[in-house]
Amino acid sequence: MSRLIVVSNRVQPPSNDPNANQGGLAVALLAALKEKGGIWFGWSGETTEKFTGHINFQQGGGVTTATVDLEEQDFDEYYNGFANRTLWPLFHYRIDLTEFERDFKAGYVRVNARFADTVAPLVEPDDIVWVHDYHLIPLGAEMRARGMTNRMGFFLHIPWPPMRLLTSLPNHRELVESLFAYDVVGFQTHDWLDSFLSYVTGELGGTLGDNGMVTVGDRTIRAIAAPIGIETASFEKAAQSTTARHACERMWMSATGRSLIVGVDRLDYSKGLPERFLGYERFLASHPERSGLVYLLQIAPPSREKVDTYREIRATLDSLSGRINGEYADMDWVPIRYVNKGYPRDMLAGIYRAARIGLVTPLRDGMNLVAKEYVAAQDPNDPGVLILSKFAGAAEQLTDAVLVNPYSAEEMSDAIATALAMPREERIRRWEKLIDNVRREDVMWWCELFIDALNAVPQSAEARA
Ligand code: ADQ
């Protein structure tokens, strides 16, 4: 049986501790690796003076991980540079924040080549290789250039931008053409897939065949939509754990009868946090009868703090929450509780369960797992309401949420009012449809969907050519 080689920017080390705070993606990939055998390769998160290619292997829970350190310059140009200052904003439609620097691109190409050099000796001819995310788009082409003929797939966790935006990237053709080194390329939604296909036909003169087959020049690949899910069963269980119950009770006690609205996001401009605060402010202004009866808990742990735009968003939110609280708070009530830290998964599940509304309003998001976690954590007899941005990938599956345009403070305000007034029967009716999807299309389903697509690719390079 062929082994699975997973390559991503960062690697989650396997852990035998059941309370370890592992994300759903790590859990799914580790489970797939355990079943098929193989290796998870990526950056250790550490920097070193000179790149050596020395691999640190770790074993645990039946899985092997392999990590390498990168140079400080790689960290600046590849990770903080091309990945997070160029591709991340551009792919989230933020051309105003996108930085175009030749050094960033050079660092990106260099690190992808280093990854290829380091991983190539670990891969056996029958292995299937699954590469993750925007950090590693050219890795497939680099591996092919080193003679690897394995079946290879690539999954993009973030949106694919519209053609006109993508063409503003210098050398955009080279980047997209490099995707044709893979055999299967996956996107979170049909929307992102369609944007990719329209670029390929419009810019690269590609042609579309049956079953997602796409041809450019002499290369044919399969492009699919494969929406990522969460570890639903275990999240539902987490929401009923003792820790979750305590967190839930703590929230209720501190709420003293007020309705809780919760937001949980990495502190990132794509998550639409200032717009969310402004939408909530509009709600407070237009619904004075609700004053003192509701509050917003926004949990937002900082991320990517070496990038200026991330420091700026933090300053914006500090001042916005201060202004709104200054204007509306009373001696026994603050309308926004704004917390900059992370919580363990069980506790988070309890907080979700205590909330009457889950407010998930990114301006653009590949999928958004918080929306799915909020649904999984609800009490089936008295579920809360999910308010979800139309521009999150999750909106393609979670159509029974209250869908909003996150740019419109008025729509956000109306949605909050609707959700607070929503009768229990309607909340239950909507939630049952939402949980049905979150259970069916969970993270293992996603993982199998992608691996099945890769397994369906003819094994020999000649047959694929
Ligand atoms: P992210 O942009 O990181 O992921 P998201 O999908 O929402 O966004 O996942 C965030 C995860 O972090 C969730 O599991 C959430 O519980 C956790 N988290 C957030 N705040 C936390 C806190 N304060 N404490 C503890 N945990 C917290 C990228 C893409 C998404 C895509 C995922 C997976 O941007 O669109 O859904 O990858 O493909």
Side-chain angles (χ1 to χ4, degrees), residues 142-192:
E142 293 286 350
M143 292 193 289
R144 296 277 185 231
R146 283 154 184 78
M148 286 172 58
T149 57
N150 302 64
R151 287 171 291 181
M152 286 185 201
F154 174 84
F155 185 79
L156 184 68
H157 289 261
I158 65 174
W160 184 271
M163 182 169 78
R164 294 278 171 245
L165 272 184
L166 189 51
T167 53
S168 63
L169 181 72
N171 306 317
H172 52 92
R173 279 169 166 249
E174 189 192 319
L175 186 77
V176 185
E177 275 166 359
S178 73
L179 279 174
F180 283 78
Y182 296 99
D183 299 299
V184 177
V185 173
F187 301 89
Q188 300 270 26
T189 67
H190 290 96
D191 215 7
W192 316 136

Side-chain angles (χ1 to χ4, degrees), residues 157 188 266 271 299 301 341-343 365-369 373:
H157 289 261
Q188 300 270 26
R266 262 187 321 100
K271 304 294 180 185
I299 300 176
K341 64 181 210 180
Y343 288 94
D365 215 333
M367 174 54 59
N368 194 297
L369 298 180
E373 291 167 357

Side-chain angles (χ1 to χ4, degrees), residues 104-174:
F104 290 175
K105 178 70 191 311
Y108 184 72
V109 171
R110 182 176 65 245
V111 170
N112 273 270
R114 285 180 166 172
F115 264 45
D117 282 336
T118 320
V119 82
L122 307 179
V123 182
E124 291 168 11
D126 286 351
D127 292 345
I128 58 173
V129 181
W130 187 3
V131 177
H132 288 262
D133 232 358
Y134 59 103
H135 315 84
L136 300 174
I137 292 172
L139 181 62
E142 293 286 350
M143 292 193 289
R144 296 277 185 231
R146 283 154 184 78
M148 286 172 58
T149 57
N150 302 64
R151 287 171 291 181
M152 286 185 201
F154 174 84
F155 185 79
L156 184 68
H157 289 261
I158 65 174
W160 184 271
M163 182 169 78
R164 294 278 171 245
L165 272 184
L166 189 51
T167 53
S168 63
L169 181 72
N171 306 317
H172 52 92
R173 279 169 166 249
E174 189 192 319

Side-chain angles (χ1 to χ4, degrees), residues 21-25 88 92 133-134 155-159 188 192 227-230 235 263-268 270-271 299-302 304 339-345 348 352 360 364-371 373 392-394 446:
N21 208 4
Q22 290 185 330
L25 172 64
W88 176 273
H92 285 87
D133 232 358
Y134 59 103
F155 185 79
L156 184 68
H157 289 261
I158 65 174
Q188 300 270 26
W192 316 136
I228 194 168
I230 61 164
F235 208 86
V264 176
D265 311 77
R266 262 187 321 100
L267 196 45
D268 190 301
S270 67
K271 304 294 180 185
I299 300 176
R304 303 176 192 166
V339 185
N340 287 124
K341 64 181 210 180
Y343 288 94
R345 202 171 72 124
L348 206 55
Y352 287 140
V360 183
R364 210 57 69 170
D365 215 333
M367 174 54 59
N368 194 297
L369 298 180
V370 169
E373 291 167 357
W446 165 78

Side-chain angles (χ1 to χ4, degrees), residues 25-103:
L25 172 64
V27 170
L29 292 176
L30 291 169
L33 281 162
K34 203 165 162 180
E35 190 192 311
K36 299 185 86 57
I39 299 171
W40 186 352
F41 176 86
W43 175 37
S44 61
E46 302 292 326
T47 53
T48 173
E49 208 168 301
K50 188 105 196 80
F51 180 78
T52 61
H54 170 76
I55 304 174
N56 179 19
F57 288 99
Q58 272 187 288
Q59 306 266 357
V63 172
T64 305
T65 58
T67 54
V68 280
D69 299 347
L70 291 177
E71 284 174 18
E72 197 64 42
Q73 194 183 351
D74 295 337
F75 178 58
D76 289 342
E77 294 174 355
Y78 148 81
Y79 181 73
N80 284 323
F82 200 70
N84 287 329
R85 285 177 146 105
T86 307
L87 294 181
W88 176 273
L90 183 66
F91 279 44
H92 285 87
Y93 297 45
R94 293 300 300 269
I95 194 164
D96 57 321
L97 301 179
T98 305
E99 296 174 46
F100 302 103
E101 297 275 346
R102 285 208 178 119
D103 289 350

